[in-house]
Amino acid sequence: MKIGDKYYVSFKWKGHRIRTVTPATNSTDAKKIEKAVKTAFTIGSFGHLDPDCLDVVLRTHENKGWALPPELARPEPTEELTLIKATREYLKADLKHRAERNLYAIDRITEHFGEHYPLKNIKVADIRAYQRIRSQKAENGTVNRELGVLSGIFRLQLELERVEINPCTMAHRLPERQRDSYLSWEDFNRVLEHSWWLRDILTAMYYTGMRFKEVVSLRWEMYKPERRMLVLPPEATKEGKSANKVRLRTKRVPLRMEMIQMLEGRRKDQGENVLRAMGPIFPYEGRYKKHCGTHQGKAVVASMVRKAWAKATAKAGIDGLQMRDLRHTWKTNAQRSGMDPTVRNIIVGHSSNRSVEDRYIRVSDEELLKAVDSMRFDNGWTELDMVEEGQA
């Protein structure tokens, strides 16, 4: 049938009058299309049709409001996997992914690529360009941590079979500079004089060699005064959180009398007859700031201490000092005091660096206590490795 300058197929099928325009430009082509379409409707098979005939079949179903046959059903449009969508799934996948340093890394990554950048469009060349640009503003270690987070985002999408490769694995890590710093006994006490509510946290880091996050995560349930120990479950330590860890171990931290006195003072600060037995040992005790959600008793994170730490080091006149230097200082003091390396590694927590023989040695509480009791803390002057970092 020709209406105006258009050719139509027109036939009956199962009681329905079908009349649909075709792309044909002459009657010969229109008749061929009509024959093929009528046959396809009769046999109920459409996959063999050419594009012109398929166009007529699709128009017919749309005009009649019929559901398309399965073989012709158009796939539902899928939402493009953007960086921000993949990042949200990464944060939901595991609570550990929401660590403050991870969130900092995600902020830098999205600033560079843009929230709505398609994840599949991030190639190896883009990763290397990110390394080059970021290394102009941050230390290589910081850049490596940021790309470690991006690699984690890609790994999750690989598991979900939404991407085919992880480009981060094909870009070499940037060489990291080992920071070797030492804080003298005199300078440490000068920092303490100006440390305000950080005083006890810094004291714990200096006398135990613990990491900042381990200290601020301590709870009274971990304090064992009868043993002069802090006993940390694996999940409270960096080693225990490692995905490559096969055997989980508790961490024993022997306490010198300076630590015992400080902890006992905190336990009794509600009165001599009240001893704290549960809850965090070092909750936030700084200034109340309602507008940013910081308040007394809240768990401490790195962002809360930056201003207080910067003020303390500035007033002490020690530029470039970082909190992690307290851990470096403890290890140096242990070495200069003649502490056995096996004992030192058990206390400080670098189990991955211990030899096979050391891993099978059981060191008693008494040996650990004897080692820290014999430590000297006045072992030289302050030496700072002046390397700027992007993280506190």
Side-chain angles (χ1 to χ4, degrees):
M1 176 182 292
K2 184 179 181 182
I3 302 176
D5 60 349
K6 302 289 185 181
Y7 288 90
Y8 289 74
V9 297
S10 181
F11 60 91
K12 282 189 176 182
W13 177 72
K14 292 186 177 181
H16 298 281
R17 166 57 64 182
I18 293 176
R19 181 179 294 171
T20 308
V21 68
T22 74
T25 57
N26 57 67
S27 61
T28 300
D29 290 341
K31 288 177 180 178
K32 289 180 180 179
I33 291 174
E34 183 181 64
K35 181 179 180 181
V37 170
K38 287 174 68 175
T39 300
F41 272 95
T42 301
I43 66 176
S45 177
F46 304 91
H48 63 285
L49 296 176
D50 63 31
D52 287 343
C53 296
L54 278 175
D55 182 70
V56 172
V57 171
L58 293 172
R59 286 176 181 272
T60 299
H61 281 78
E62 290 173 357
N63 292 342
K64 295 292 186 180
W66 297 339
L68 290 174
E71 59 189 306
L72 298 183
R74 293 167 178 166
E76 290 291 328
T78 56
E79 183 181 350
E80 188 166 41
L81 181 61
T82 61
L83 176 59
I84 190 63
K85 182 180 179 183
T87 298
R88 287 170 180 159
E89 293 180 348
Y90 169 77
L91 294 175
K92 290 179 181 178
D94 195 322
L95 289 176
K96 292 187 295 184
H97 296 165
R98 303 179 192 178
E100 188 180 13
R101 63 165 44 185
N102 280 16
L103 298 179
Y104 177 89
I106 288 169
D107 285 343
R108 304 293 78 75
I109 293 166
T110 52
E111 282 177 5
H112 179 84
F113 290 104
E115 291 185 354
H116 303 293
Y117 194 74
L119 193 68
K120 66 181 181 181
N121 288 357
I122 299 178
K123 309 299 183 183
V124 179
D126 300 312
I127 301 297
R128 290 172 179 159
Y130 181 88
Q131 289 177 315
R132 184 175 62 256
I133 294 170
R134 280 292 289 147
S135 62
Q136 296 173 5
K137 297 180 180 180
E139 276 299 302
N140 288 356
T142 299
V143 180
N144 288 337
R145 285 197 297 271
E146 291 169 4
L147 289 182
V149 172
L150 182 58
S151 182
I153 292 172
F154 268 101
R155 280 198 303 273
L156 176 61
Q157 296 304 320
L158 273 173
E159 293 173 6
L160 298 174
E161 299 183 350
R162 294 176 184 164
V163 294
E164 296 180 357
I165 63 169
N166 180 353
C168 299
T169 61
M170 289 178 270
H172 295 295
R173 290 172 59 88
L174 298 176
E176 297 185 26
R177 180 177 176 181
Q178 178 64 44
R179 182 178 170 89
D180 298 315
S181 298
Y182 181 77
L183 183 65
S184 72
W185 167 258
E186 181 181 355
D187 284 342
F188 169 67
N189 282 283
R190 286 167 59 198
V191 172
L192 278 190
E193 289 177 9
H194 306 287
S195 59
W196 189 29
W197 66 275
L198 288 180
R199 183 182 182 90
D200 288 351
I201 292 175
L202 301 183
T203 298
M205 294 178 68
Y206 184 79
Y207 284 111
T208 66
M210 296 172 67
R211 301 175 179 89
F212 168 78
K213 193 166 184 179
E214 290 175 342
V215 170
V216 298
S217 299
L218 287 173
R219 298 182 61 84
W220 289 113
E221 297 93 316
M222 303 175 189
Y223 176 45
K224 311 296 179 184
E226 70 282 359
R227 293 171 58 184
R228 280 177 56 197
M229 289 278 172
L230 289 168
V231 180
L232 283 63
E235 61 271 15
T237 68
K238 181 178 180 180
E239 293 79 16
K241 294 176 181 178
S242 172
N244 300 321
K245 198 71 174 176
V246 177
R247 182 178 178 183
L248 299 179
R249 298 174 181 269
T250 57
K251 180 177 180 178
R252 292 175 295 158
V253 181
L255 302 176
R256 288 171 57 93
M257 289 311 299
E258 293 92 337
M259 277 292 295
I260 294 291
Q261 292 169 3
M262 182 267 287
L263 289 172
E264 288 299 319
R266 294 184 69 87
R267 273 216 304 175
K268 298 175 182 178
D269 65 0
Q270 291 182 332
E272 288 296 326
N273 297 324
V274 178
L275 292 180
R276 295 182 182 181
M278 298 180 66
I281 295 179
F282 300 109
Y284 176 73
E285 296 176 324
R287 183 176 300 154
Y288 175 77
K289 294 181 180 179
K290 186 176 181 180
H291 67 277
C292 65
T294 301
H295 56 80
Q296 296 282 344
K298 189 174 182 178
V300 175
V301 295
S303 60
M304 294 180 182
V305 308
R306 289 191 180 112
K307 288 185 178 179
W309 172 255
K311 185 179 292 186
T313 54
K315 287 187 175 181
I318 309 175
D319 294 329
L321 182 67
Q322 298 180 12
M323 269 194 166
R324 59 177 177 160
D325 292 331
L326 299 180
R327 180 172 167 86
H328 297 165
T329 296
W330 187 94
K331 288 187 282 187
T332 300
N333 283 330
Q335 187 270 332
R336 292 178 181 176
S337 300
M339 186 181 295
D340 184 279
T342 299
V343 175
R344 184 185 67 223
N345 287 339
I346 289 174
I347 296 173
V348 86
H350 286 310
S351 60
S352 60
N353 294 332
R354 294 163 60 197
S355 66
V356 174
E357 293 81 3
D358 287 349
R359 292 175 189 173
Y360 290 94
I361 296 175
R362 174 65 183 180
V363 178
S364 67
D365 287 2
E366 290 73 18
E367 291 174 283
L368 296 179
L369 291 168
K370 182 178 179 180
V372 297
D373 285 342
S374 63
M375 283 182 65
R376 302 186 311 273
F377 285 84
D378 192 1
N379 289 292
W381 56 83
T382 296
E383 300 174 79
L384 297 185
D385 188 348
M386 301 299 288
V387 178
E388 294 183 0
E389 269 287 358
Q391 289 280 358

